[in-house]
């Protein structure tokens, strides 16, 4: 493989393609020759695609899922524009000249409606659409030069606004075809074939931009001023001119300057970064390009975008420079949102590009594991990768990891070239960057972690330089010393050490038992603090590794009498990270031996398959674990023990005593409140330990993790029986075990264990979550979440992609605490990494239901039922979710149930907030006992639709008919979900029940057909009520009127038919006779035909 070419230093950005939209087009069937994409628009939420068949596909950018398709019979779609300030509105133009403004109504879950229609441009080809930036107004331009606007009505504007039809108004008619429209701050920019016009839509004034005309399609756009400009400064105008020129004009239309890009475009094109092909670059100079820019678009970070059918160009107009130009063939149209480009090709295919700095592009490629492509860019853009500023995105270790991913046998040349680049990398605070030539040679500098340049002047004296260097270095070290707790002598307050810290912070008097040369104590700067921390860390490390052969230096460790028991020995024990507990390494050997013996015993199937014997084996291992890795006593508790009855007892011996409730509480470092009554003492759990107290060998850690996780799953805890029956104020043994040995546990197994075994103990889940929060406290996502911007936090989570699902759960927990229900609704995008059982354990029940409802309805209609069934792990969640949905956003029980628990008439018509979820839960397959329990639950809450469905599944048709008669709605007997009688016995039962309830209602002076009801809004149409007469007509339609009347007589049911019912019966008789005659005639004809064929 030949050496890769190196691009010049002016190339700092690239266009990169990370996503393939071909599967999306294939799913929409837009990749066929008959149907293809004709136009596109993009917003923060939507990607809108117009088709040649008149359809508009709305694709949700998050996940690339199709949400809507809007059809138009008025021709193919030629233009589409998304409203910039309201994602619920979108404008569409068709080939017949129709313009439609759609209101999607997704927030209210309604059907999309046409909020505005314009036939002002009938028969003309509409060439441009542009939205007003503040109101619901769309500007329209066509090939004839006419410019008009359409104002849309919406219910969001107030009552009655949706019914107001605003007239379409013509603004002007220019001399030729409208090429491009733009709107900003009350002014409309119109670019035609000959010149540009500026229109004040409020004052109805017009200006021409410049005096010279042009001939051809040239675009124009508004260009917002940079952030560093004066506040409120109006935007600029950029208008394309022939010969690769662009006019820069003021907001009033006055031309300020002309930018000439013809000579600048003689440089070689920057290659397109794409997963489809390798990077191709030729350093040969091109001839100057004279290009006509058909459209101009504002791109983020003060860039100007344009394109032709063969290339895409990005300019920095305020500097008069070419940021890049890249060859891309057959580009018809481009839609832009921030730094993302969506390109429409001649064949109807789409390309999704991103404009990125080179280092950001490499970072994203590494995240997607495109190793070869990332290495190629690093070698071709060395001038970007080598400087120190790139270490923010590309640390040296990541590039080393990239080199290790290359195949040395196939990609040897690339690997060696990348190795050369890595050897030239500048550190983060390096002062050798070649691109900082603006700083005087008389000054030296480096870059702080926050990105600030620290400049040290060489013009002053050496002492001044040293002073500046010391102060600046102390600023640099401030970020690195966040975890080092130092208490100055002159400070009155004293910080408590963190529970996970084994090194005692510097304390006055006898707090620090080893002495270091602290010559800086009178005025301690930050640099000296770093030296203290390094010295302490080195001392502790040597003590831990060589504890058996450590020779204590008299300067570092003052000798003391072994008989003295005091604060000095206690502090020394803490500093040495459990030196006394580790002894000479025998404890570690004991733990290793016990662990190996326990694992060998678990290999026996007789033990592994017997929970009782398995628990016995683990109960032998747990005390050893408690002895070696259990938490240490705090200073205060040891001081109390040394001054009390246990004064002469070794703390190690105390740890080996039988564990009681008091011992567990003392080991936890908990504080018992005396104000609580006896037997209900409140205990504060110790902080979660996410790091081991001393380094554990990897192979031993794996074995310990398996046994600790198995122990938690089986619930074999030392002293767990002592805590039973002491109330909810005493922490459970599982919580204690989680807090003590979180650093040993398999996080995924613990998650499943909390959801299955400890479902009824929320404290266990809270302890597990506390450990995850502590484990992820240093993650960069935490800082983003704390800023309180939900969308940015979700984006950071998607980009980071935490390595394990439990770590993702910790970040989602932080999001929920910050944003509540709005964050829970967004958790759907993290399925299947986060399942509903996780969310249910994390959030309030009222917040869980919207999440579950959104998750299920994110699937297609035919997939929802099997998808919901797959979520029921364990199966007991079905009943739990059913009760949850029935108790939230539900009608009042007094509206659905009578005093004796029977259905109220027409009460099934009430709306249930989670009715769609309830209907799916009721339809799920389950065993007989579960269905029976669900039916009782539905009846208890008055959810009669589900109760009838379950009665039908359980073959309880008698109860179903009784409920239908009480609900008094004939529609429950008809339709696809109706329960019609199948036999004459069921018809008899139904009619008798109806007659019985009618008599009861008459006796109670509560007629079945009252004049007005809250359910029917006072309607007097009671034709759907169930009466013996209406049921008789139904029976007559099924078995015939004559047989129906005979059956009624046999059953002893007296039904008086009114005139209408009598006429219906007569018509049924006539229809039955005609049907019989027709059947007889058909049978005779068939008989004759068969005889004729036989002859």
């Amino acid at each position: 493989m030949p050496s890769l070419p190196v691009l010049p230093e002016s190339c700092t950005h690239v266009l990169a393609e990370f996503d393939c939209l071909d599967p999306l087009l294939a799913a929409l069937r837009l990749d066929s020759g008959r149907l293809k994409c004709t136009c596109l628009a993009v917003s923060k939420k939507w990607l809108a695609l117009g088709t040649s068949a008149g359809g508009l596909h709305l694709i949700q950018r998050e996940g690339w899922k199709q949400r809507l398709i809007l059809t138009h019979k008025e021709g193919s779609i030629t233009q589409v524009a998304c409203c910039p300030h309201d994602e619920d509105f979108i404008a569409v133009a068709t080939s017949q000249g129709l313009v439609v403004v759609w209101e999607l109504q997704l927030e209210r879950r309604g059907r999309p409606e046409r909020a505005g229609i314009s036939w002002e441009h009938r028969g003309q080809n509409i060439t441009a659409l542009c939205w007003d930036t503040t109101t619901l107004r769309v500007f329209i331009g066509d090939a004839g030069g006419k410019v008009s606007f359409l104002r849309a009505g919406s219910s969001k504007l107030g009552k009655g606004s949706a019914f107001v039809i605003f007239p379409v108004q013509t603004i002007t008619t220019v001399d030729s075809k409208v090429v491009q429209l733009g709107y900003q701050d009350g002014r409309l920019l119109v670019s035609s074939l000959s010149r540009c016009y500026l229109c004040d839509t409020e004052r109805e004034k017009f200006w021409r931009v410049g005096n010279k005309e042009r001939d051809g399609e040239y675009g124009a756009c508004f260009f917002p001023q940079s952030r560093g400009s004066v506040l409120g400064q109006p935007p600029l105008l950029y208008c394309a001119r022939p010969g690769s020129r662009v006019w820069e004009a003021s907001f009033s239309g006055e031309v300020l300057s002309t930018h000439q890009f013809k000579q600048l475009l003689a440089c070689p094109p920057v290659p397109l970064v794409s997963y489809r092909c390798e990077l191709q670059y030729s350093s040969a100079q091109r001839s100057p390009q004279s290009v006509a820019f058909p459209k101009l678009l504002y791109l983020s970070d003060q860039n100007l975008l344009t394109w032709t059918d063969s290339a895409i160009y990005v300019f920095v107009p305020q500097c008069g420079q070419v940021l890049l130009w890249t060859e891309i063939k057959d580009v018809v149209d481009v839609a832009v949102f921030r730094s993302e480009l969506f390109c429409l090709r001649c064949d109807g295919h789409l390309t999704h590009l991103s404009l990125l700095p080179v280092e950001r592009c490499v970072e994203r490629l590494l995240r997607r594991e495109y190793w070869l492509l990332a290495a190629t860019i690093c070698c071709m853009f060395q001038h970007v990768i080598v400087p120190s500023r790139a270490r923010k995105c590309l640390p040296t270790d990541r590039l080393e990891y990239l080199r290790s991913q290359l195949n040395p046998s196939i990609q040897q040349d690339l690997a060696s070239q990348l190795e050369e680049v890595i050897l030239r990398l500048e550190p983060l605070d390096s002062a050798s960057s070649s691109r900082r030539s603006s700083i005087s040679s008389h000054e030296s500098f480096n870059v702080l972690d926050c990105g600030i340049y620290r400049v040290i002047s060489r013009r002053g004296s050496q002492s001044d330089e040293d002073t500046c260097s010391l102060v600046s270095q102390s600023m640099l070290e401030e970020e690195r010393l966040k975890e080092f707790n130092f208490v100055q002598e002159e400070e009155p307050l004293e910080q408590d050490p963190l529970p996970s810290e084994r090194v005692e912070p510097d304390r006055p008097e006898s707090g620090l038992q080893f002495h270091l040369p602290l010559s800086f104590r009178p005025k301690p700067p930050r640099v000296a603090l770093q030296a203290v921390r390094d010295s302490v860390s080195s001392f502790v490390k040597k003590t831990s590794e060589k504890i058996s052969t450590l020779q204590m230096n008299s300067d570092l460790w003052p000798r003391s009498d072994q008989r003295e028991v005091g604060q000095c020995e206690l502090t020394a024990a803490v500093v040495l990270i459990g030196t006394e507990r580790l002894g000479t390494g025998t404890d570690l050997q004991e733990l290793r031996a016990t662990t190996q013996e326990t694992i060998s015993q678990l290999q026996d199937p007789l033990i592994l398959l017997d929970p009782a014997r398995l628990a016995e084996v683990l109960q032998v291992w747990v005390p050893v674990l408690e002895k070696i890795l259990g938490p240490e006593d705090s200073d205060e508790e040891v001081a109390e023990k040394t001054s009390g009855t246990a004064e002469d007892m070794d703390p190690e011996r105390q740890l080996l005593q039988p564990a009681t409730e008091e011992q567990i509480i003392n080991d936890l470092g908990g504080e018992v409140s005396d104000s609580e009554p006896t037997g209900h003492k409140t205990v504060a759990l110790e902080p979660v330990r996410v790091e081991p107290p001393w380094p554990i060998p990897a192979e031993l850690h794996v074995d310990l993790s398996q046994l600790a996780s198995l122990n938690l799953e089986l619930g074999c805890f030392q002293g767990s029986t002592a805590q039973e029956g002491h109330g909810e104020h005493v922490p459970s043994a599982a919580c204690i075990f989680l807090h003590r040995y979180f650093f040993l546990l398999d996080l995924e197994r613990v998650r499943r264990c909390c959801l299955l075994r400890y479902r009824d103990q929320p404290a266990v889940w809270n302890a597990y979550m506390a450990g995850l929060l502590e484990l992820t406290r240093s993650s960069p996502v935490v800082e983003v979440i704390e800023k309180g911007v939900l969308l940015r936090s979700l984006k950071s989570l998607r980009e980071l992609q935490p390595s394990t699902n439990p770590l993702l759960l910790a970040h989602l927990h932080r999001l929920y605490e910050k944003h509540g229900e709005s964050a829970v609704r967004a958790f759907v995008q993290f399925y299947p990494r986060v399942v509903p059982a996780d969310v249910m354990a994390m959030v309030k029940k009222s917040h869980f239901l919207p999440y579950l409802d959104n998750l299920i309805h994110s699937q297609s209609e035919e997939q929802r039922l099997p998808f919901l069934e797959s979520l029921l792990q364990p199966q007991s969640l079905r009943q739990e979710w059913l009760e949850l949905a029935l108790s939230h956003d539900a009608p009042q029980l007094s509206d659905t149930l009578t005093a004796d628990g029977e259905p109220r008439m027409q009460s099934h018509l009430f709306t249930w907030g989670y009715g769609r979820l309830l209907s799916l839960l009721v339809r799920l397959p389950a065993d007989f006992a579960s269905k029976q329990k669900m039916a009782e639950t539905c009846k208890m809450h008055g959810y009669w639709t589900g109760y009838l469905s379950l009665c039908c599944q359980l073959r309880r048709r008698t109860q179903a008919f009784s409920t239908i008669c009480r609900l008094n709605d004939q529609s429950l007997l008809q339709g696809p979900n109706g329960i019609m009688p199948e036999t004459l016995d069921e018809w008899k039962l139904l009619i008798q029940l109806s007659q019985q309830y009618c008599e009861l209602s008459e006796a109670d002076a509560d007629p079945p057909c009252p004049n007005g009801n809250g359910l029917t809004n006072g309607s007097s149409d009671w034709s759907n009520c169930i009466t013996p007469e209406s049921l008789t007509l139904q029976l007559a339609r099924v078995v015939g009127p004559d047989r129906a009347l005979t059956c009624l007589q046999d059953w002893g049911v007296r039904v008086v038919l009114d005139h209408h019912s009598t006429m219906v019966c007569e018509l049924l008789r006539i229809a039955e006779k005609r049907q019989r005659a027709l059947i007889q005639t058909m049978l005779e004809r068939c008989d004759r035909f068969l005889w004729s064929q036989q002859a």
Side-chain angles (χ1 to χ4, degrees), residues 783-815:
E783 183 178 355
V784 180
I785 294 175
E786 291 300 325
K787 292 180 180 179
V789 182
L790 178 59
L791 296 180
R792 186 175 301 174
S793 303
L794 293 172
K795 182 180 179 182
S796 300
L797 274 181
R798 291 193 300 269
E799 292 178 351
L800 179 65
Q801 290 294 326
S803 57
T804 60
N805 297 345
L807 300 184
L808 177 60
L809 278 178
H811 296 308
L812 295 183
H813 182 81
R814 289 188 176 94
L815 273 180

Side-chain angles (χ1 to χ4, degrees), residues 878-900:
R878 178 192 293 104
Q879 181 66 25
E880 191 171 349
W881 290 356
L882 178 66
E883 295 177 358
L884 201 60
L886 288 173
S887 57
H888 289 81
D889 199 5
Q892 297 291 332
L893 288 179
S894 58
D895 293 333
T896 58
L897 292 171
T898 61
D900 53 353

Side-chain angles (χ1 to χ4, degrees), residues 72-124:
H72 305 80
K73 299 181 180 179
E74 296 82 7
S76 61
I77 308 298
T78 58
Q79 296 288 332
V80 59
C82 300
C83 182
H85 55 84
D86 194 337
E87 298 275 0
D88 212 27
F89 289 87
I90 189 167
V92 180
T94 68
S95 58
Q96 296 182 11
L98 171 69
V99 177
V100 182
V101 176
W102 287 93
E103 183 177 7
L104 305 180
Q105 299 189 10
L106 291 179
E107 296 180 357
R108 292 173 287 181
R109 297 186 179 181
R111 297 184 59 183
E113 296 181 354
R114 294 190 175 191
I117 299 177
S118 171
W119 280 105
E120 185 71 17
H121 303 265
R122 184 191 297 269
Q124 289 287 345

Side-chain angles (χ1 to χ4, degrees), residues 772-786:
L772 295 179
L773 294 175
E774 180 68 22
L775 194 63
T776 58
R777 186 173 57 179
S778 60
S779 173
V781 184
V782 178
E783 183 178 355
V784 180
I785 294 175
E786 291 300 325

Side-chain angles (χ1 to χ4, degrees), residues 211-225:
N211 297 321
K212 295 183 179 180
E213 295 187 356
R214 63 197 183 188
D215 185 14
E217 294 193 359
Y218 296 92
C221 71
F222 287 103
F223 193 91
Q225 295 279 25

Side-chain angles (χ1 to χ4, degrees), residues 355-371:
L355 177 65
L356 296 171
V358 172
E359 60 270 22
R360 293 290 183 185
C361 178
V362 175
E363 180 189 19
R364 198 173 290 187
L365 290 173
L366 292 178
R367 196 182 303 144
R368 295 170 181 261
E369 299 183 356
Y370 293 147
W371 311 120

Side-chain angles (χ1 to χ4, degrees), residues 194-444:
S194 59
R195 57 174 75 242
C196 286
Y197 300 91
L198 193 61
C199 171
D200 190 333
T201 56
E202 297 178 358
R203 302 178 182 178
E204 298 183 358
K205 292 184 178 182
F206 296 87
W207 300 271
R208 290 186 301 180
V209 181
N211 297 321
K212 295 183 179 180
E213 295 187 356
R214 63 197 183 188
D215 185 14
E217 294 193 359
Y218 296 92
C221 71
F222 287 103
F223 193 91
Q225 295 279 25
S226 62
R227 298 176 181 177
S229 303
V230 180
L231 184 63
Q233 190 171 357
L236 298 174
L237 277 68
Y238 285 98
C239 307
R241 298 290 299 168
S244 301
R245 292 178 297 164
V246 176
W247 272 348
E248 179 179 319
S250 65
F251 195 57
S252 59
E254 179 184 357
V255 178
L256 302 177
S257 61
T258 301
H259 298 282
Q260 176 61 264
F261 297 106
K262 182 177 180 179
Q263 298 296 331
L264 295 177
L265 291 176
C267 61
V270 177
L272 175 67
V273 178
S274 175
Y275 63 92
R276 303 174 188 264
C277 57
E278 297 181 356
L279 270 69
Q280 302 293 334
Y281 176 74
S282 175
S283 58
Q285 287 290 325
R286 301 292 185 94
S287 59
Q289 301 183 48
S290 180
V291 182
F293 303 137
K295 285 186 180 180
L296 297 179
L297 298 176
Y298 173 75
L299 201 58
S300 63
D301 297 330
Q302 302 294 300
N303 298 320
L304 194 65
L305 172 76
T306 186
W307 70 91
T308 63
D309 58 352
S310 59
I312 292 180
Y313 305 88
V314 181
F315 304 125
V316 186
Q318 293 181 330
C319 301
Q321 299 294 325
V322 177
L323 185 66
L324 64 84
W325 75 278
T326 302
E327 289 183 330
I328 301 179
K329 303 295 184 183
D330 302 327
V331 178
V332 177
D333 196 7
V334 176
V336 171
F337 181 75
R338 294 180 180 171
S339 61
E340 296 183 75
L341 289 72
F342 293 84
C343 305
L344 177 63
R345 304 291 188 91
C346 291
D347 55 1
H349 284 76
L350 295 178
T351 303
H352 181 201
L353 304 178
S354 298
L355 177 65
L356 296 171
V358 172
E359 60 270 22
R360 293 290 183 185
C361 178
V362 175
E363 180 189 19
R364 198 173 290 187
L365 290 173
L366 292 178
R367 196 182 303 144
R368 295 170 181 261
E369 299 183 356
Y370 293 147
W371 311 120
L372 180 60
L373 195 56
T376 304
I377 295 176
C378 290
C379 297
M380 296 178 66
F381 293 87
Q382 299 181 16
H383 60 280
V384 179
I385 305 300
V386 171
S388 59
R389 62 175 177 271
R391 300 292 79 74
K392 290 286 186 177
C393 301
L394 300 174
T396 305
D397 55 350
R398 295 194 68 180
L399 295 178
E400 292 281 359
Y401 181 74
L402 170 61
R403 182 176 58 83
S404 66
Q405 295 298 317
L406 299 178
N407 191 338
S409 59
I410 303 176
Q411 300 151 350
Q412 181 178 1
D413 296 337
L414 180 60
S416 60
Q417 194 168 353
L418 181 60
E419 177 67 25
E420 296 177 1
V421 175
I422 295 175
L423 292 176
R424 295 170 50 203
L425 294 179
E426 299 177 6
L428 186 61
D429 56 351
S430 174
S432 61
S433 177
S434 61
R435 297 182 61 83
R436 301 172 189 151
S437 58
S438 60
I439 299 180
S440 172
S441 60
H442 296 285
E443 299 171 343
S444 63

